[in-house]
Amino acid sequence: MNTIELALETFKKANYAEALKLFKDALEEDKNNPHILNNIGLCNIYLEDYNNAERAFLEALAIDNKIVQIYINLADLYYRQHEMLKAIEILQNGVYQLPDNPALRHYLARVYIDDSRYDIAIDQLDAVLELSPKNYDAYWDLGRVYFELGVWDMAISNYEKVLEFVDNNPLIYYNVALAYEANDEIDKAISNHLKAITVDPQFVHSYKNLGVLFFSRGDKEDAKEYFETYLSHEIPQEEKEKISNFLKKLN
């Protein structure tokens, strides 16, 4: 096993200090190798030596500015330190160097979302889908953005696209239901909450929402059933008291 292979095995075992030493040894054998510098940067991140991590990533990019993962790792380093502008800047540079790479654009879009820059996040996500039309994570993120913007029909449209690829995830049905509810389409909201608990009977959030939706529709018996099922799950005591009091009034 050569030095690089030993370093990688040591890294996989989460022995980052020893892996760092080995990667440095490997760099002595193969100077100016951007992949080794990238691994040195990763070791330093795990060792919380952020200055040296940044230095290693920047050195790697100076040698080869066409390696996607280095941009992502450096952006992640800045993101961990809440340096959003630096994260955005390095990802923008990556997109400029590698315009046809959907991963860089997608990560940039997510940083924009976290920084509440929704309009330009949408632009990047649309570009991701042009490059990778089956990227359901991008549809999911678009759904989230449009939901935050209150554009319910677009949120629904993008969440429904996710369901073309993933149809057994209660969280997706739940979010589709919330978007339909916000768009005042109660029957479709109920339908998707029912799908959520069919996929996962322990998905507690939908039971409460079903109780609320049936009650708002005037179906008190159905509302009572779902509220009682909600209470049978582990939920905070304050929430239990609140729902229990409501049921007493309902009875």
Side-chain angles (χ1 to χ4, degrees):
M1 185 178 292
N2 61 31
T3 308
I4 280 287
E5 291 171 339
L6 183 57
L8 290 170
E9 283 298 313
T10 306
F11 183 87
K12 289 176 184 177
K13 294 175 182 176
N15 188 347
Y16 302 119
E18 183 62 27
L20 178 59
K21 292 177 185 177
L22 289 166
F23 280 126
K24 286 182 176 179
D25 289 342
L27 192 64
E28 288 297 317
E29 300 169 11
D30 185 8
K31 294 185 184 296
N32 297 323
N33 185 317
H35 299 285
I36 296 175
L37 283 163
N38 180 55
N39 287 321
I40 287 172
L42 286 172
C43 287
N44 280 313
I45 284 181
Y46 286 113
L47 294 169
E48 298 185 2
D49 185 351
Y50 296 146
N51 288 335
N52 279 321
E54 179 185 32
R55 187 175 296 113
F57 291 136
L58 290 173
E59 285 181 25
L61 285 176
I63 295 166
D64 187 345
N65 62 2
K66 302 294 185 182
I67 302 176
V68 172
Q69 198 57 47
I70 300 173
Y71 288 105
I72 290 176
N73 290 338
L74 182 53
D76 183 59
L77 171 63
Y78 292 139
Y79 186 86
R80 285 167 181 253
Q81 298 176 90
H82 308 291
E83 296 186 85
M84 304 296 278
L85 291 178
K86 282 188 175 183
I88 288 169
E89 182 180 358
I90 199 66
L91 288 167
Q92 286 175 333
N93 188 33
V95 168
Y96 176 79
Q97 296 294 338
L98 298 156
D100 295 330
N101 186 276
L104 282 169
R105 289 185 180 274
H106 201 166
Y107 195 179
L108 177 57
R110 285 182 166 171
V111 176
Y112 281 143
I113 291 170
D114 286 349
D115 205 35
S116 300
R117 303 187 186 192
Y118 297 131
D119 289 343
I120 47 180
I122 289 171
D123 291 340
Q124 289 299 330
L125 289 168
D126 285 340
V128 169
L129 288 168
E130 285 183 18
L131 294 165
S132 181
K134 294 183 179 180
N135 188 331
Y136 57 83
D137 284 331
Y139 286 115
W140 171 262
D141 287 330
L142 273 171
R144 289 196 302 134
V145 171
Y146 282 119
F147 190 92
E148 287 295 324
L149 291 172
V151 186
W152 314 123
D153 57 336
M154 290 298 292
I156 291 166
S157 174
N158 282 285
Y159 283 144
E160 293 280 11
K161 286 293 291 184
V162 178
L163 289 172
E164 293 180 15
F165 302 97
V166 183
D167 61 357
N168 61 347
N169 188 316
L171 184 60
I172 298 172
Y173 286 123
Y174 177 74
N175 278 272
V176 174
L178 293 183
Y180 274 123
E181 183 178 347
N183 205 39
D184 203 27
E185 297 181 70
I186 303 304
D187 288 345
K188 289 182 178 180
I190 288 173
S191 173
N192 279 280
H193 279 305
L194 290 171
K195 289 175 183 176
I197 61 174
T198 299
V199 171
D200 181 4
Q202 302 303 313
F203 192 77
V204 63
H205 308 291
S206 280
Y207 290 106
K208 178 181 179 180
N209 285 73
L210 283 165
V212 171
L213 290 170
F214 277 118
F215 180 77
S216 69
R217 210 169 65 171
D219 298 334
K220 293 184 179 181
E221 288 304 312
D222 285 330
K224 180 181 175 183
E225 176 188 343
Y226 286 106
F227 279 134
E228 287 175 344
T229 307
Y230 178 58
L231 284 175
S232 70
H233 289 80
E234 284 196 18
I235 58 176
Q237 185 60 36
E238 183 180 347
E239 177 77 348
K240 278 193 173 184
E241 292 174 1
K242 179 181 173 183
I243 298 299
S244 295
N245 289 334
F246 180 79
L247 279 172
K248 287 176 183 177
K249 293 178 182 177
L250 192 60
N251 289 326

